[in-house]
Amino acid sequence: MQAPESILKIWNRFDSFPMDTLVKVWNYDPQRELQQRTVEEMRKHRAKYGITGNCFDLALWLWQEFQENGVEASLIGHDLHTEEAHVAVVASSKEGFAYLCDLGDQWLQPILIDSESRDFRAGRHGGFFPAADIEVLPFEHHVNIFYHRPNGKRSSQSYDLSPVDYKEFLRAAELSQRTFRSSPLIECRLPFRGEVAHWELEGWQSQISTSKGIIHEPSLHTLEEWGERVHIRTGYDRKFLQRAMSDYFS
């Protein structure tokens, strides 16, 4: 179920990339016509501040890396042009088999979603998503992913596999970059006690999801405290965090 080296070597460049909604708050300029950053802008911001972006940023960046390295890939998404939008990438092996690549949800690695491949295996698989086993149920135009979490909990997500036109993707991305939440959402993969766990900040509560369950972190109350915790978890520049998070504390 693992992707071939041609896909993994590109994916692995993003191993330490969190997903967040902070960058668009920091980057927003009402005087500028377009808010969606180019990949070149994202690369510069990453080099200077250690920052990444939301699922549109990450999908666009990953897709372009695939394009530049000769890997066939397409942008996919659901609920585009709404607040519920989510986007990802499907990359193809040299044999033409499809692999789901979702940096926005902080997957550990791509997963095979093509049942015609001899490598496809039904059932549960570990090592693809933090703190959960994954089960893939593919259909002609979409794939259902089931997440088997600790203590018997199970959730699911459906991915529409229809390629999204590049211009439509950018229009949806533009709307996303202009849509702001009442509090930031930040997710990252976190080495933790011998595994890669999932750290998340949402609604000013942070937690670590592990194979043994969820660890709720102590509550914080000030901009300085939250900035330091996010810095420790993500590596984001402290001055960037103070600026990006200050709007939520004003």
Side-chain angles (χ1 to χ4, degrees):
M1 299 291 282
Q2 291 183 323
E5 180 61 24
S6 59
I7 293 174
L8 281 177
K9 71 178 182 180
I10 306 302
W11 171 272
N12 289 339
R13 297 175 184 177
F14 297 83
D15 280 348
S16 62
F17 281 42
M19 188 289 303
D20 73 86
T21 62
L22 275 177
V23 173
K24 64 180 177 180
V25 174
W26 168 82
N27 184 66
Y28 181 75
D29 181 355
Q31 303 301 316
R32 191 172 59 240
E33 181 181 0
L34 299 177
Q35 305 302 323
Q36 175 60 53
R37 295 175 297 158
T38 66
V39 171
E40 185 57 34
E41 288 174 321
M42 288 188 265
R43 287 169 175 159
K44 290 179 179 179
H45 291 159
R46 176 69 175 171
K48 186 172 183 178
Y49 304 107
I51 59 178
T52 59
N54 68 1
C55 68
F56 280 92
D57 295 318
L58 294 171
L60 181 62
W61 195 341
L62 178 61
W63 176 79
Q64 185 162 316
E65 290 278 354
F66 281 139
Q67 300 297 306
E68 292 174 356
N69 288 272
V71 176
E72 183 179 346
S74 59
L75 297 160
I76 63 169
H78 63 75
D79 297 310
L80 298 182
H81 311 290
T82 76
E83 294 184 8
E84 305 302 319
H86 181 70
V87 292
V89 175
V90 169
S92 296
S93 65
K94 293 179 181 178
E95 295 76 23
F97 297 123
Y99 292 81
L100 174 66
C101 307
D102 190 347
L103 288 171
D105 277 352
Q106 293 291 283
W107 283 63
L108 301 178
Q109 61 176 307
I111 193 166
L112 178 66
I113 56 173
D114 198 327
S115 59
E116 295 184 2
S117 169
R118 64 182 181 180
D119 295 324
F120 184 86
R121 298 290 185 273
R124 295 167 58 163
H125 303 278
F128 289 92
F129 194 86
D133 287 343
I134 296 299
E135 187 176 357
V136 179
L137 186 61
F139 296 90
E140 184 177 0
H141 299 297
H142 72 280
V143 62
N144 291 342
I145 303 293
F146 295 94
Y147 305 84
H148 298 270
R149 304 180 190 276
N151 304 320
K153 294 182 63 177
R154 191 176 93 155
S155 59
S156 64
Q157 182 173 188
S158 181
Y159 289 85
D160 184 342
L161 300 178
S162 304
V164 176
D165 176 76
Y166 180 68
K167 290 183 179 179
E168 181 185 0
F169 178 91
L170 290 182
R171 287 193 294 269
E174 191 64 30
L175 175 62
S176 177
Q177 303 299 356
R178 297 170 182 267
T179 303
F180 305 106
R181 304 162 60 102
S182 59
S183 61
L185 172 64
I186 308 171
E187 301 178 37
C188 69
R189 292 155 286 190
L190 178 69
F192 185 80
R193 298 178 183 174
E195 66 176 292
V196 180
H198 179 270
W199 181 83
E200 180 178 19
L201 166 63
E202 184 173 20
W204 298 115
Q205 298 292 324
S206 62
Q207 63 184 35
I208 304 171
S209 297
T210 77
S211 61
K212 296 179 176 61
I214 296 176
I215 300 171
H216 296 280
E217 296 186 311
S219 297
L220 301 175
H221 304 286
T222 68
L223 170 62
E224 290 72 24
E225 290 174 322
W226 277 115
E228 186 61 21
R229 178 175 290 179
V230 175
H231 167 74
I232 291 172
R233 295 305 188 203
T234 65
Y236 283 6
D237 179 80
R238 287 185 174 91
K239 290 183 179 179
F240 159 81
L241 288 169
Q242 293 295 307
R243 171 64 185 88
M245 299 177 77
S246 63
D247 289 342
Y248 296 105
F249 285 84
S250 58

